[in-house]
Amino acid sequence: MAEEKKVNRNIILEGVRLAFRNFSGNEGLYNKEGDRNFCVLLTPEQEEKVRKLAPELRIKELKPREEGDLPQPYIEINVYYPKAGSKGRPPEVVLITDKIDQETGEVIGKSRSNLRASTINLLDWAHIVECDLVFRVFQWEMGGATGWKTALNSIYATITMDTLEAKYSNIPDSASSGPDFEEIVEVD
């Protein structure tokens, strides 16, 4: 019997809503320390697309909050950063910031920041107003067991500056050009 080929597919989802964000990889009730991941709440169209392109991927459901509501389908996306010296490619994580005119409330510009493994945790608490992503679905095998997983390829998350953020946005961040916060030592 011929060995089945492992499938590796990319899926693009636009306009997604994120839930259970753990880009920082903090240990929790459902998460081991260092495991970075988040969930995507699927619209009916997105669910259909994922089922069509990756029928082997398990789509979970959140129980309805109120009587009469439908269950909310979702998938978990894993975020992997390659270990030092490996050939793996880190995900492209881009934070887009809408700059808002303080008087009119209209978007007057955008800025873009590429986040790294050390800064991706900003997405854990950011107020994301728009999000598009690409992830891949792949088959894993370990010790005779197999299954299907996801891995983030790229994510573009848009946030909006609040009024104070916009007011002070053109002041340079002195901490961004100096040492990391962990390296600063207070002297009495």
Side-chain angles (χ1 to χ4, degrees):
M1 187 161 127
E3 186 177 311
E4 237 179 275
K5 183 180 178 185
K6 293 183 182 181
V7 179
N8 194 354
R9 291 184 204 95
N10 287 335
I11 298 176
I12 300 169
L13 293 179
E14 296 176 286
V16 298
R17 286 185 3 214
L18 306 184
F20 313 121
R21 294 183 259 173
N22 191 1
F23 289 94
S24 55
N26 290 330
E27 182 176 1
L29 184 60
Y30 303 105
N31 201 65
K32 290 188 313 189
E33 179 71 30
D35 286 353
R36 300 173 191 251
N37 52 60
F38 61 95
C39 293
V40 174
L41 303 178
L42 300 170
T43 64
E45 296 79 17
Q46 291 166 340
E47 179 183 17
E48 183 180 333
K49 181 177 185 175
V50 171
R51 287 192 190 282
K52 181 180 176 185
L53 296 175
E56 44 304 284
L57 188 63
R58 181 173 172 224
I59 296 177
K60 300 176 187 177
E61 289 185 339
L62 294 173
K63 294 178 184 175
R65 289 184 173 190
E66 296 184 22
E67 191 174 325
D69 286 350
L70 295 174
Q72 172 63 61
Y74 73 95
I75 55 174
E76 182 177 307
I77 307 291
N78 297 290
V79 182
Y80 299 108
Y81 281 93
K83 295 186 186 333
S86 73
K87 294 181 181 180
R89 183 181 75 81
E92 182 175 12
V93 181
V94 181
L95 183 64
I96 308 292
T97 305
D98 284 343
K99 294 184 179 180
I100 306 295
D101 183 286
Q102 296 174 37
E103 293 178 16
T104 66
E106 295 178 13
V107 176
I108 57 171
K110 293 182 180 282
S111 64
R112 167 189 172 127
S113 302
N114 292 324
L115 302 181
R116 301 180 307 268
S118 61
T119 56
I120 191 173
N121 62 326
L122 294 172
L123 293 179
D124 284 344
W125 301 106
H127 178 67
I128 298 172
V129 294
E130 187 177 340
C131 187
D132 302 327
L133 56 85
V134 179
F135 66 96
R136 67 184 170 94
V137 178
F138 63 96
Q139 187 176 23
W140 61 268
E141 183 178 342
M142 181 186 271
T146 63
W148 294 88
K149 280 198 156 201
T150 61
L152 180 66
N153 284 358
S154 61
I155 185 169
Y156 289 76
T158 302
I159 63 171
T160 301
M161 285 185 174
D162 64 29
T163 304
L164 289 178
E165 215 173 356
K167 180 178 178 180
Y168 296 106
S169 66
N170 55 351
I171 298 172
D173 182 355
S174 62
S176 66
S177 60
D180 289 336
F181 287 113
E182 292 82 24
E183 295 175 7
I184 296 174
V185 177
E186 287 188 31
V187 178
D188 290 331

